[in-house]
């Protein structure tokens, strides 16, 4: 009885996820296209529903919701369905769609679609040869063999997309955080630059006049030299030195 209740809960959640995926595909992803491919909508919605269901089962496993045997059964069933879609249905339909757009192969599109799918399966299977994912305990078409190859491809694609997004996102949206520079801003900065240059020139003139006055009074000749003279010149300020550094407005 508990298994039936758990199965009804999972089927209800899958139906809800399927409907949400269908609406998302129609309202967001496919709203600007005139050609309607219902097979694409069904495959997308089914994949979305089973992916969300697996995520739901992970949450149920953490929270200890449903029976453990029910969770294991639905987890394995969802995994088999997703592998069936990813390895068999999606590549075959992509090949079928490519062949259907070629007029010379339109009459024998089913045959050439099978050939493309067999080519994909050959490279998909040869992909696992360099990796230590083969085990004599599992068969050729076991879940472990398929999910290991899907994991290698998925991790590689996620790394590529993450690197592309990390570079493309700041390049695309950086303009929203930049300030527009107008002609008035340029003129204001030019005025500030001229004022700063005039201030530097006026301070240099004051320093030159003060040095000449000190030289005429003989303070330069009587100025002590050496290390202690330097310390004394720093600690004692000459008259008018404050007006050099901080001129009156």
């Amino acid at each position: 009885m508990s298994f039936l209740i758990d199965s009804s809960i999972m089927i209800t959640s899958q139906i809800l996820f399927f409907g949400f995926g269908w609406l998302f595909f129609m309202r967001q992803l496919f709203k600007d296209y005139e050609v309607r491919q219902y097979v694409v909508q069904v495959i997308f919605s089914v994949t979305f529903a089973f992916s969300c269901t697996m995520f739901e089962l992970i949450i149920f496993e953490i929270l200890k919701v449903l029976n453990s045997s029910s969770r294991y059964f639905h987890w394995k069933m969802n995994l088999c369905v997703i592998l069936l879609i990813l390895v068999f249905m999606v590549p075959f339909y992509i090949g079928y769609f490519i062949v259907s757009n070629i007029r010379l192969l339109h009459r024998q599109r089913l045959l050439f679609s099978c050939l493309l799918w067999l080519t994909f399966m050959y490279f998909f299977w040869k992909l696992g040869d360099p990796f230590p994912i083969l085990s004599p305990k599992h068969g050729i078409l076991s879940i472990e063999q398929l999910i290991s190859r899907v994991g290698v491809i998925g991790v590689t694609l996620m790394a590529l997309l993450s690197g592309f997004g990390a570079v493309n996102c700041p390049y695309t949206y950086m303009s929203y955080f930049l300030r527009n520079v107008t002609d008035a801003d340029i003129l204001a900065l030019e005025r500030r630059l001229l004022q700063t240059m005039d201030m530097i020139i006026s301070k240099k003139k004051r320093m030159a006049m003060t040095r000449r006055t000190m030289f005429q009074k003989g303070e330069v000749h009587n100025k002590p030299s050496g290390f202690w003279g330097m310390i004394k010149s720093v600690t004692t300020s000459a008259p008018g030195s404050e007006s050099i550094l901080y001129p009156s407005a």
Side-chain angles (χ1 to χ4, degrees):
M1 189 65 182
S2 61
F3 179 78
L4 294 177
I5 296 174
D6 297 342
S7 299
S8 61
I9 293 173
M10 297 305 301
I11 292 173
T12 304
S13 62
Q14 287 176 355
I15 293 173
L16 293 176
F17 290 142
F18 181 86
F20 181 77
W22 185 279
L23 292 176
F24 178 76
F25 188 87
M26 293 293 295
R27 301 284 179 85
Q28 296 294 329
L29 300 179
F30 212 58
K31 62 180 180 179
D32 297 329
Y33 294 92
E34 297 180 356
V35 180
R36 300 295 180 181
Q37 295 288 337
Y38 291 101
V39 179
V40 177
Q41 296 175 230
V42 172
I43 292 175
F44 175 83
S45 301
V46 170
T47 307
F48 181 82
F50 279 94
S51 300
C52 293
T53 305
M54 293 188 69
F55 182 70
E56 183 184 21
L57 286 172
I58 293 174
I59 297 176
F60 286 171
E61 181 69 24
I62 296 173
L63 300 177
K64 301 299 181 182
V65 180
L66 305 182
N67 195 5
S68 60
S69 60
S70 301
R71 292 196 304 264
Y72 179 76
F73 172 78
H74 287 286
W75 174 266
K76 201 158 187 177
M77 185 187 68
N78 292 338
L79 195 60
C80 292
V81 173
I82 287 180
L83 289 176
L84 179 66
I85 294 173
L86 294 179
V87 179
F88 296 98
M89 291 184 62
V90 173
F92 178 80
Y93 188 74
I94 290 174
Y96 182 81
F97 185 75
I98 292 172
V99 173
S100 299
N101 292 328
I102 301 175
R103 295 182 179 179
L104 297 176
L105 307 177
H106 193 269
R107 294 182 179 180
Q108 299 178 348
R109 53 187 176 183
L110 187 60
L111 176 62
F112 286 99
S113 300
C114 293
L115 292 176
L116 286 177
W117 178 77
L118 291 175
T119 305
F120 164 77
M121 286 299 297
Y122 173 77
F123 287 104
F124 175 76
W125 200 261
K126 293 296 289 185
L127 181 67
D129 291 343
F131 301 99
I133 56 181
L134 298 176
S135 176
K137 298 180 181 180
H138 308 295
I140 297 176
L141 296 178
S142 61
I143 295 178
E144 290 78 8
Q145 298 285 353
L146 294 177
I147 200 171
S148 58
R149 288 165 171 80
V150 172
V152 170
I153 298 174
V155 171
T156 305
L157 291 178
M158 287 298 294
L160 293 175
L161 293 176
S162 299
F164 176 77
V167 176
N168 186 56
C169 184
Y171 179 78
T172 305
Y173 295 101
M174 190 178 292
S175 59
Y176 293 101
F177 302 98
L178 297 178
R179 179 187 173 187
N180 294 326
V181 180
T182 60
D183 295 335
D185 297 332
I186 297 174
L187 292 175
L189 290 175
E190 288 179 352
R191 293 194 192 98
R192 292 177 61 183
L193 178 61
L194 292 176
Q195 291 176 0
T196 304
M197 293 178 65
D198 293 338
M199 186 181 298
I200 293 173
I201 293 172
S202 64
K203 286 188 177 184
K204 286 184 178 181
K205 288 182 180 179
R206 287 174 180 269
M207 290 175 65
M209 292 175 61
T210 305
R211 286 177 181 175
R212 186 179 65 180
T213 304
M214 292 173 63
F215 180 77
Q216 290 176 357
K217 292 181 179 180
E219 294 181 3
V220 176
H221 297 286
N222 298 329
K223 189 175 182 180
S225 59
F227 179 74
W228 295 106
M230 292 174 62
I231 296 176
K232 186 177 181 181
S233 63
V234 171
T235 54
T236 59
S237 59
S241 61
E242 184 177 357
S243 62
I244 296 174
L245 296 177
Y246 304 101
S248 60

